């Protein structure tokens, strides 16, 4: 087959003129420029869509983890050298050299049979039952066994009885007080009738005793029981009371405790260190006839806690709660409201950022780059918390604690900053990188992360405050919303009282039973004596109580 036969029939083999070739070349040149421009635009658009896709997938994985996954901060990650495991926050393993220690074979040996377990002296049974002197005990006397029941008395001798203990429960702890008040008529020319007064009460004319009011508040705000469940328990005891009555009683107690709440707030504002955080809560706004998101704000010191409901999450709420004009250290996360407040008052306010919040941002970025995240967690966060544990073990305070932090934590933090800067530069070209965001979060607030080094009373994180907010989160899951703004204020009051009591080891029930009757007749100027902290001090040292 010749060459001519290999040429397609529809191919024009004639040669074009130079002018035609030049025109085709110029036309093709213009189309190439247009295609290059279009290609560049498509590449840019694809890059933006890929970045958006990564961000959305990251958010979806986060929501899945919150709803269905394990929310523990325990992580298993491998470092660059192939070793290492990320444990719990503040947990550390054995030193690296311990893993290389030689092992020895222990020959089998016989063990002695264990005897009965040595129990505490307070245990009253072999199973380890313990209870206090105030625990009510109901005695049950059993009849004699059938073998001796019918024997004549002269044929048997009664020895010391066998005593056993078991935990039992009544159907309900509620009961009704029947108060009998003597009425006496004095015989005289002008007879007078005298009636003994009622026991002290918090709400005059109410059918509720002080113990019931205290129990109502403790059950709802300490044990997270909604009012409808409390109402069911009352109904099971054949006590008839309307649910609306329970709500009104709760509001009356909230009004009584309002002065104590204000005193706790004033006391907190005198402390040198305040931990602050917030959490959302749905509140029914009557004026707008709609449900709106409010925020429950928390202020915590070493011995007191305050909750406050705010309509927003802006800087104005922070100003209202913390005020101005005095110097203290604010410990919080890096939310912009706290940043704005501390930046406006930087001459008197020291702002310490929470390391636990920063650490969580690295944990959230683990799927993107688990090696770099493991380095941050294992090499920096873990040793920082180890230093804090060593400080607690050594019982260091004041200048000794400050000097220990400066000597051990500051060099580690200097190295951490260099690593953050290097990592952030490497990831700067990646759009919406969670790891780059975690690095930027710390670098833009670096001075605030160093604040705790110069103030020994400042904690490394806000975990203590978050623990105080946990009961509120549990209660929020049980009764979901507040159906009035006034009710949300009472919720803040009750949580402030209950959490302040538990923080210093005061029984909230005992405190409320003692304080509620005094509030109606107590002078306003003496309300500081009735805060949980002052109440405990008066019980511990009666000389510190007022006249």
């Amino acid at each position: 087959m010749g060459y001519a036969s290999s040429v397609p029939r529809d191919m024009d083999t004639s040669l074009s003129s130079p002018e035609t070739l030049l025109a085709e070349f110029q036309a093709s040149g213009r189309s190439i420029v247009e295609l290059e421009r279009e290609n560049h635009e498509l590449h840019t658009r694809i890059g933006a869509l890929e970045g958006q896709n990564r961000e959305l997938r990251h958010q979806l994985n986060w929501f899945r983890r919150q709803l269905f996954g394990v929310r523990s901060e325990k992580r298993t990650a491998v470092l660059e050298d192939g070793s290492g495991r990320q444990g719990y926050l503040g947990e550390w393993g054995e030193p690296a050299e311990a893993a290389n220690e030689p092992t020895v074979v222990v020959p089998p040996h016989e063990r002695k049979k264990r005897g009965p377990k040595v129990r505490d002296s307070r245990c009253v049974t072999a199973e380890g039952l313990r209870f206090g002197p105030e625990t009510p005990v109901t005695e049950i006397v059993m009849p004699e066994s059938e073998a001796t029941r019918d024997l004549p008395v002269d044929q048997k001798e009664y020895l010391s009885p066998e005593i056993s203990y078991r935990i039992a429960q009544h159907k309900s702890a509620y009961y009704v007080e029947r108060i009998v008040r003597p009425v006496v008529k004095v015989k005289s020319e002008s007879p007078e009738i005298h009636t003994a007064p009622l026991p002290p009460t918090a709400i005059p004319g109410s059918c509720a005793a002080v113990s019931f009011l205290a129990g109502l508040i403790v059950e709802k705000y300490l044990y997270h029981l909604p009012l409808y469940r409390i109402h069911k328990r009352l109904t099971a005891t054949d006590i008839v009371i309307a649910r609306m009555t329970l709500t009104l009683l709760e509001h009356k107690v909230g009004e009584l405790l309002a002065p104590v709440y204000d005193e706790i707030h004033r006391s907190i504002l005198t402390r040198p260190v305040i931990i602050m955080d917030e959490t959302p809560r749905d509140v029914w706004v009557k004026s707008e006839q709609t449900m709106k998101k409010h925020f429950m704000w928390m202020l915590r010191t070493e011995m007191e806690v305050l909750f406050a409901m705010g309509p927003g999450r802006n800087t104005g709420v922070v100003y209202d709660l913390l005020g101005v004009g005095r110097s203290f250290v604010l410990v919080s996360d890096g939310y912009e409201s706290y940043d704005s407040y501390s930046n406006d008052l930087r001459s008197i306010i020291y702002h310490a950022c929470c390391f636990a919040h920063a650490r969580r941002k690295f944990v959230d970025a683990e799927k993107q780059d688990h090696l770099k995240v493991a380095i941050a967690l294992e090499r920096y966060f873990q040793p920082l918390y180890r230093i804090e544990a060593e400080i607690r073990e050594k019982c260091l305070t004041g200048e000794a604690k400050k000097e220990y932090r400066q000597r051990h934590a500051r060099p580690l933090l200097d190295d951490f900053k260099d690593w953050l800067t290097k990592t952030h530069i490497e990831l700067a070209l990646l759009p919406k990188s969670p790891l780059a965001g975690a690095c930027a979060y710390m670098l833009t607030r670096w001075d605030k992360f160093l604040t705790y080094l110069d103030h020994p009373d400042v904690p490394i994180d806000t975990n203590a405050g978050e623990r105080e907010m946990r009961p509120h989160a549990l209660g929020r899951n049980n009764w979901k919303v507040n159906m009035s703004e006034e009710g949300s204020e009472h919720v803040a009051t009750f949580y402030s009282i209950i959490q302040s009591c538990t923080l210093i080891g005061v029984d909230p029930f005992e405190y409320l039973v003692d304080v509620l009757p005094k509030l109606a007749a107590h002078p306003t100027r003496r309300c500081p004596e009735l805060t949980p902290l002052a109440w405990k001090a008066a019980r511990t040292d009666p000389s510190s109580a007022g006249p």
Side-chain angles (χ1 to χ4, degrees):
M1 182 167 52
Y3 172 77
S5 62
S6 65
V7 178
R9 294 180 180 179
D10 58 346
M11 180 176 180
D12 186 7
T13 57
S14 61
L15 296 177
S16 301
S17 64
E19 292 80 4
T20 303
L21 290 175
L22 179 61
E24 292 178 355
F25 176 76
Q26 291 175 348
S28 64
R30 285 196 301 269
S31 62
I32 290 174
V33 173
E34 292 173 357
L35 288 173
E36 288 180 347
R37 183 170 62 252
E38 183 180 353
N39 186 46
H40 177 72
E41 293 174 354
L42 288 174
H43 273 290
T44 304
R45 185 178 179 184
I46 291 173
L49 290 175
E50 288 179 346
Q52 184 180 10
N53 183 45
R54 280 194 298 268
E55 181 183 1
L56 292 175
R57 289 176 64 86
H58 174 72
Q59 294 178 4
L60 178 61
N61 291 331
W62 185 87
F63 280 112
R64 283 176 173 171
R65 188 167 64 253
Q66 298 300 309
L67 290 173
F68 310 114
V70 178
R71 299 179 66 179
S72 169
E73 292 189 355
K74 182 178 180 180
R75 293 292 181 274
T76 302
V78 181
L79 295 180
E80 292 175 331
D81 58 0
S83 64
R85 177 189 68 81
Q86 174 60 31
Y88 290 105
L89 180 61
E91 179 193 13
W92 54 90
E94 297 295 328
E97 58 270 13
N100 300 323
E101 291 181 357
T103 58
V104 296
V105 178
V106 179
H109 58 280
E110 295 182 356
R111 290 192 178 96
K112 293 182 179 180
K113 183 178 180 180
R114 291 188 177 184
K117 185 176 180 179
V118 179
R119 295 288 184 181
D120 190 284
S121 59
R122 294 175 296 168
C123 294
V124 296
T125 67
E127 293 77 22
L129 176 63
R130 292 177 290 180
F131 55 87
E134 297 182 1
T135 303
V137 177
T138 300
E139 186 172 273
I140 300 175
V141 180
M142 301 298 296
E144 293 183 32
S145 66
E146 295 181 358
T148 63
R149 188 179 305 167
D150 298 329
L151 292 176
V153 176
D154 59 349
Q155 295 184 16
K156 54 186 178 182
E157 179 183 358
Y158 290 96
L159 306 177
S160 298
E162 288 284 338
I163 307 295
S164 303
Y165 293 90
R166 295 176 179 174
I167 301 175
Q169 181 178 347
H170 290 292
K171 183 177 181 181
S172 174
Y174 300 112
Y175 63 94
V176 175
E177 295 179 342
R178 182 174 179 266
I179 304 170
V180 180
R181 296 186 291 160
V183 181
V184 179
K185 180 180 179 180
V186 179
K187 296 180 179 179
S188 63
E189 295 180 357
S190 55
E192 297 180 354
I193 298 177
H194 298 271
T195 305
L198 283 166
T201 183
I203 305 175
S206 170
C207 64
V210 176
S211 59
F212 179 80
L213 297 174
L216 182 70
I217 302 306
V218 169
E219 285 187 338
K220 181 173 181 180
Y221 295 97
L222 183 60
Y223 300 117
H224 325 299
L225 288 179
L227 286 184
Y228 82 89
R229 293 184 188 173
I230 298 175
H231 182 262
K232 283 186 175 182
R233 293 183 62 191
L234 287 165
T235 304
T237 322
D238 290 335
I239 297 177
V240 180
I241 187 171
R243 282 176 59 180
M244 181 55 68
T245 302
L246 297 179
T247 302
L248 293 175
L249 291 175
E250 180 186 354
H251 280 228
K252 287 289 186 181
V253 176
E255 293 171 358
L256 285 173
L257 291 172
V260 178
Y261 173 85
D262 294 336
E263 290 301 330
I264 293 176
H265 192 183
R266 277 190 279 270
S267 175
I268 284 178
L269 293 183
T270 63
R271 306 299 177 181
V273 179
I274 298 177
I275 299 175
M276 196 168 183
D277 207 345
E278 81 290 333
T279 186
R281 189 178 185 92
D282 291 332
V283 176
W284 176 262
V285 180
K286 185 177 181 180
S287 60
E288 302 181 18
Q289 290 295 301
T290 185
M291 197 72 68
K292 299 192 71 173
K293 180 177 288 186
H294 284 47
F295 284 86
M296 181 70 83
W297 297 77
M298 184 276 307
L299 283 72
R300 185 192 188 275
T301 63
E302 188 177 355
M303 293 183 291
E304 289 178 303
V305 182
L306 183 91
F307 289 87
M309 188 68 74
R313 204 184 178 197
N314 52 48
T315 311
V317 181
V318 182
Y319 271 95
D320 292 339
L321 293 175
L322 297 179
V324 296
R326 73 179 192 91
S327 178
F328 66 96
V329 182
L330 171 63
V331 187
S332 71
D333 56 26
Y335 184 62
E336 58 185 12
S337 293
Y338 305 121
D339 283 343
S340 299
Y341 177 80
S342 61
N343 292 336
D344 293 344
L345 304 173
R346 64 173 62 90
S347 60
I348 57 174
I349 302 297
Y350 300 93
H351 189 190
C353 274
C354 169
F355 275 83
H357 280 82
R359 182 184 181 277
R360 290 181 194 129
K361 293 185 179 296
F362 284 92
V363 172
D364 291 340
E366 189 174 24
K367 289 187 178 296
Q368 179 200 5
D369 193 333
H370 68 278
L371 287 178
K372 283 187 171 61
V373 169
I375 291 173
L377 299 179
E378 292 279 354
R379 187 179 296 173
Y380 300 110
F381 282 102
Q382 192 178 56
L384 288 173
Y385 277 89
R386 184 185 306 155
I387 292 169
E388 295 302 305
E390 292 169 355
I391 289 174
R392 290 191 296 270
E393 292 173 359
K394 298 177 184 294
C395 300
L396 301 179
T397 58
E399 288 299 319
K401 182 177 180 180
K402 176 181 176 180
E403 192 275 333
Y404 195 90
R405 280 176 171 174
Q406 293 283 353
R407 186 169 70 252
H408 295 87
R410 183 173 285 278
L412 185 63
L413 286 167
D414 292 340
D415 187 32
F416 192 16
K417 183 180 181 182
D418 295 337
W419 183 86
L420 288 171
T421 304
K422 177 183 176 182
T423 304
H424 187 256
I425 293 174
E426 292 175 357
L427 302 173
L429 298 179
L430 293 179
K432 300 292 185 179
S433 167
L435 183 55
C439 295
Y441 177 85
M442 295 198 69
L443 289 173
T444 54
R445 300 169 176 83
W446 188 250
D447 291 341
K448 297 176 181 179
F449 279 103
L450 300 181
T451 300
Y452 88 107
L453 296 176
D454 299 322
H455 298 82
D457 294 331
V458 174
I460 192 173
D461 54 37
T462 61
N463 285 350
E466 291 186 4
R467 285 193 296 270
E468 303 302 332
M469 300 188 74
R470 191 172 300 160
H472 171 264
L474 293 173
R476 179 181 58 197
N477 289 338
N478 283 350
W479 55 80
K480 300 300 182 185
V481 298
N482 288 114
M483 293 308 296
S484 70
E485 294 176 278
E486 181 185 3
S488 65
E489 294 175 0
H490 293 327
V491 168
T493 298
F494 294 135
Y495 274 122
S496 300
I497 300 291
I498 295 293
Q499 293 305 112
S500 293
C501 286
T502 56
L503 182 61
I504 58 177
V506 169
D507 181 2
F509 181 84
E510 182 182 354
Y511 166 80
L512 290 172
V513 167
D514 183 66
V515 167
L516 285 176
K518 299 177 181 178
L519 285 170
H522 211 69
T524 304
R525 60 182 175 81
R526 292 183 56 190
C527 277
E529 302 171 7
L530 299 181
T531 63
L533 187 59
W535 186 85
K536 180 182 180 181
R539 289 296 183 95
T540 306
D541 182 11
S543 62
S544 65

